[in-house]
Amino acid sequence: MATLDIPAATREKATLAPGNGGYAVKRLTLTDFRCYRHQRLEADKGPVVLTGPNGAGKTNLLEGLSFLVPGRGLRRAKLSDVVRRQQGNSAPSGSWGVAASVHSPRGEVEIGTGFEAGRAGGRDKRIVRVDGETVKSQAVLAEHLSALWLTPQMDRLFLEGPGSRRRFLDRLVFDSDPAHLGRVNAYEHAMRERMALLRANGDKAWVETLEDTMATRGVAVAAARLEATRRLGEQLKESTGAFPRASVEAAGTVEDWLREGPALAAEDRLRAALAARRADDVAEGRAAIGPHRSDLKVLHLGNGRPAALCSTGEQKALLVALVLGTAKMRAYEQGTAPLFLLDEIAAHLDEIRLQALFDEISGLGAQVWLTGTDAGLFAPLAGRAQFFAVNDGTVTPQDSG
Ligand SMILES: Nc1ncnc2c1ncn2[C@@H]1O[C@H](COP(=O)(O)OP(=O)(O)O)[C@@H](O)[C@H]1O
Ligand SMILES: [Mg+2]
């Protein structure tokens, strides 16, 4: 019966799903990265389980992996804060690095990233290397690796203000549309410059130029969010098994304009709104209209309730559904399932859901990195996963689960 409910398009997609088409980190090296002085770790394509007490360095290791894709990593840290601090040294100086051998369906690649204090005039600038060559932009990393993560900090995603949901949405968009990060950055940069210029009562022609950039980039940001949520919604309404079906919506004024008419009209409306609101925006300290105010609305289709009204367990399951849906989208469309970084994931998932999650992820051929304080929670993975003990900034392979 259940199979009859699956639309033909999905059945077709499912046969395209690559069983071994995921990315995998085969070797990871962390140097002066948070609590790690120099740590090397070898893994194969299977799940990696990291267990150890609080403060051992588990999240730090996942954060290291998260720096292998563009962005600020899973803690959104300042690059200079990541440098290992020695005891009693509160003002760290120096550099950190993360390097990895990445396996993908296209082959093996060595990628590395890091930070050197004092370089580039002391600016917080990432250094990125691919196969030993320094590349100009961190955006290049997206060509070699994709990663999605869930952390305990994200447990409050549906209860917080829209900012973290917007960032979460942008990361999902970015996973299948790597140009998205550049769009968001260009928009936000123009927005900050406009505000500074307005406050300084600066050149009107330059304000107009910045508003034009905000209008074109801003509408592109909103359009990419609409498109990604539309495709993700297709995945999520069909999703079965242990995770809830869900609907997702990119909600905001510019998104509404795009639903009403063409992109050029939305650009004109945003340009006009910005020009009309200069004094108000200065008074309020921020631009009132634009995709920097948008939200991600999620509905639990099982109980019909908005995510914010769901239980903690339901919210966690929704988050997993969203991330799994994004990974499936990428696996089906591009043949490369992202790396999964799941920090303390077992805390809000029962054993059945945990098992279902493992099965879904291995079905996609994606490598998953899991952490937890309680090794017992990962017992179902014995024989299938690689287990490591993390203690005081040192990672040691374990014999078995
Ligand atoms: N820049 C840094 N230099 C040295 N140690 C750090 C730095 N940043 C965080 N730490 C320490 O790393 C330790 C491990 O953190 P974490 O990875 O979050 O532990 P957990 O295993 O609980 O996830 C913490 O005790 C924290 O104080
Ligand atoms: Mg942790």
Side-chain angles (χ1 to χ4, degrees):
M1 202 38 215
T3 49
L4 291 178
D5 291 339
I6 301 175
T10 313
R11 280 204 301 277
E12 238 166 68
K13 275 192 207 161
T15 59
L16 292 176
N20 55 3
Y23 290 106
V25 169
K26 296 288 204 56
R27 194 179 63 243
L28 175 70
T29 312
L30 303 172
T31 308
D32 287 322
F33 186 94
R34 298 225 184 247
C35 58
Y36 295 101
R37 194 185 67 75
H38 187 76
Q39 178 69 51
R40 205 180 142 109
L41 185 157
E42 312 261 350
D44 62 32
K45 284 168 72 179
V48 180
V49 177
L50 308 160
T51 56
N54 281 328
K58 304 179 297 295
T59 305
N60 290 347
L61 197 146
L62 295 194
E63 184 187 26
L65 288 163
S66 72
F67 273 113
L68 294 169
V69 296
R72 292 170 58 188
L74 58 71
R75 283 196 173 100
R76 293 177 45 76
K78 255 178 72 181
L79 297 181
S80 54
D81 286 345
V82 174
V83 181
R84 187 175 66 98
R85 288 167 204 239
Q86 280 157 291
Q87 224 133 49
N89 180 359
S90 56
S93 62
S95 55
W96 59 260
V98 178
S101 301
V102 174
H103 174 88
S104 84
R106 291 188 300 275
E108 306 270 338
V109 63
E110 302 285 327
I111 57 180
T113 188
F115 168 79
E116 279 174 32
R119 270 212 16 163
R123 276 179 56 220
D124 231 15
K125 188 161 167 31
R126 290 263 292 277
I127 299 161
V128 176
R129 290 198 184 89
V130 175
D131 282 335
E133 301 280 336
T134 302
V135 295
K136 251 171 79 181
S137 155
Q138 54 167 303
V140 174
L141 290 171
E143 294 167 21
H144 302 286
L145 183 64
S146 146
L148 294 170
W149 50 81
L150 286 176
T151 69
Q153 284 68 41
M154 289 156 71
D155 288 352
R156 296 189 47 79
L157 191 79
F158 299 120
L159 307 174
E160 291 170 342
S164 29
R165 278 190 298 280
R166 205 163 46 237
R167 278 193 295 276
F168 178 74
L169 169 60
D170 281 334
R171 191 149 277 291
L172 301 189
V173 176
F174 168 76
D175 192 61
S176 57
D177 181 0
H180 190 62
L181 195 67
R183 271 177 220 130
V184 172
N185 288 342
Y187 172 79
E188 290 182 349
H189 183 75
M191 180 171 72
R192 282 192 299 272
E193 275 202 55
R194 168 183 178 264
M195 190 52 85
L197 205 57
L198 287 176
R199 282 195 178 119
N201 212 3
D203 179 27
K204 285 285 175 296
W206 188 234
V207 170
E208 260 172 48
T209 306
L210 292 170
E211 288 174 351
D212 184 62
T213 303
M214 284 178 71
T216 53
R217 301 284 79 194
V219 168
V221 165
R225 287 175 184 159
L226 279 179
E227 172 58 16
T229 46
R230 186 189 61 73
R231 279 157 47 233
L232 181 59
E234 290 296 313
Q235 279 293 331
L236 295 176
K237 76 175 186 220
E238 286 159 7
S239 111
T240 49
F243 298 99
R245 296 181 311 115
S247 76
V248 282
E249 185 196 326
T253 310
V254 180
E255 284 83 351
D256 287 343
W257 290 343
L258 281 169
R259 287 186 189 97
E260 287 164 15
L264 281 176
E267 286 179 13
D268 289 342
R269 288 173 86 167
L270 185 51
R271 215 179 275 110
L274 289 165
R277 287 201 41 97
R278 284 173 194 162
D280 296 328
D281 284 352
V282 170
E284 286 164 27
R286 65 169 175 181
I289 294 175
H292 62 288
R293 305 292 305 273
S294 302
D295 200 351
L296 169 68
K297 292 202 170 145
V298 178
L299 203 68
H300 188 299
L301 291 179
N303 60 26
R305 276 194 283 275
L309 300 182
C310 290
S311 74
T312 310
E314 284 171 335
Q315 290 181 2
K316 192 77 180 190
L318 276 172
L319 274 178
V320 173
L322 258 60
V323 169
L324 268 179
T326 302
K328 280 183 190 170
M329 233 163 74
R330 190 190 168 99
Y332 298 149
E333 292 170 7
Q334 302 179 32
T336 44
L339 207 68
F340 280 83
L341 311 176
L342 305 178
D343 198 19
E344 306 279 346
I345 190 73
H348 295 293
L349 292 184
D350 57 37
E351 216 171 292
I352 292 171
R353 285 216 174 105
L354 207 53
Q355 186 65 48
L357 177 58
F358 295 151
D359 292 344
E360 292 260 15
I361 291 172
S362 57
L364 289 175
Q367 189 188 38
V368 55
W369 294 67
L370 301 140
T371 71
T373 42
D374 180 4
L377 289 168
F378 302 105
L381 282 181
R384 283 208 274 156
Q386 309 147 78
F387 288 77
F388 294 89
V390 186
N391 272 299
D392 213 4
T394 305
V395 184
T396 326
Q398 305 289 94
D399 285 346
S400 74

